Amino acid sequence: MPVLKILWEDWADTALPLPSYETPGAAGADIRANLRPEDRASGFTLDPMHRAIVPTGLRVEIPWGYEMQIRPRSGLAVKHGITLPNTPGTLDSDYRGPLGVSLINLGPEPYTIRHGDRVAQVIVAPVLRAEFAEVDALED
């Protein structure tokens, strides 16, 4: 089982849980909005057809040979139209920057993301690399 090393951002609320699998059979671990201190009380409102990157307060070190995919949570998508515009988003093993979740509101109403809300899920998967070869023809 790969181990992902997690570092909290200096401003992050470390009382929030790390990404976690909510059920024994879950393929994805839920990640939470970790809003900046000035936004925690009011939340962050995403208007219809607008997109924004929601902070998680995390940085990750993914083992070489793996990737982390960021995927929508089906409940947010079905109930409110909140999804990811680049699904799945991919974090490569050599990325060490902030982990933000790009969200878009496809619903008809503004949606407020609260501090600590589960906003997406992450899937950790092995990566296969390929060689690319130019040929004169392809098989049927």
Side-chain angles (χ1 to χ4, degrees):
M1 177 181 308
V3 175
L4 276 70
K5 297 176 184 176
I6 294 182
L7 178 69
W8 290 103
E9 297 275 5
D10 291 341
W11 54 264
D13 178 0
T14 60
L16 291 181
L18 293 176
S20 61
Y21 299 97
E22 296 296 314
T23 66
D30 288 342
I31 54 176
R32 297 175 183 272
N34 197 328
L35 301 180
R36 293 194 171 271
E38 61 271 19
D39 296 326
R40 290 179 187 163
S42 62
F44 176 81
T45 299
L46 193 57
D47 290 323
M49 298 310 296
H50 284 91
R51 58 191 179 275
I53 295 178
V54 176
T56 66
L58 305 174
R59 290 177 184 253
V60 296
E61 182 179 327
I62 303 162
W64 189 89
Y66 289 87
E67 67 164 328
M68 177 187 280
Q69 298 176 8
I70 311 296
R71 297 185 185 184
R73 293 192 66 242
S74 58
L76 283 177
V78 171
K79 293 175 189 172
H80 306 286
I82 306 298
T83 191
L84 281 67
N86 64 325
T87 188
T90 296
L91 274 75
D92 299 309
S93 63
D94 57 358
Y95 178 72
R96 296 292 183 272
L99 172 56
V101 177
S102 178
L103 293 178
I104 187 168
N105 182 353
L106 299 177
E109 302 293 328
Y111 183 80
T112 300
I113 297 153
R114 302 281 177 205
H115 182 65
D117 281 356
R118 294 179 296 161
V119 292
Q121 57 184 326
V122 298
I123 306 286
V124 179
V127 172
L128 297 176
R129 293 189 59 136
E131 291 186 25
F132 299 89
E134 184 177 349
V135 298
D136 293 327
L138 300 176
E139 293 183 26
D140 289 337

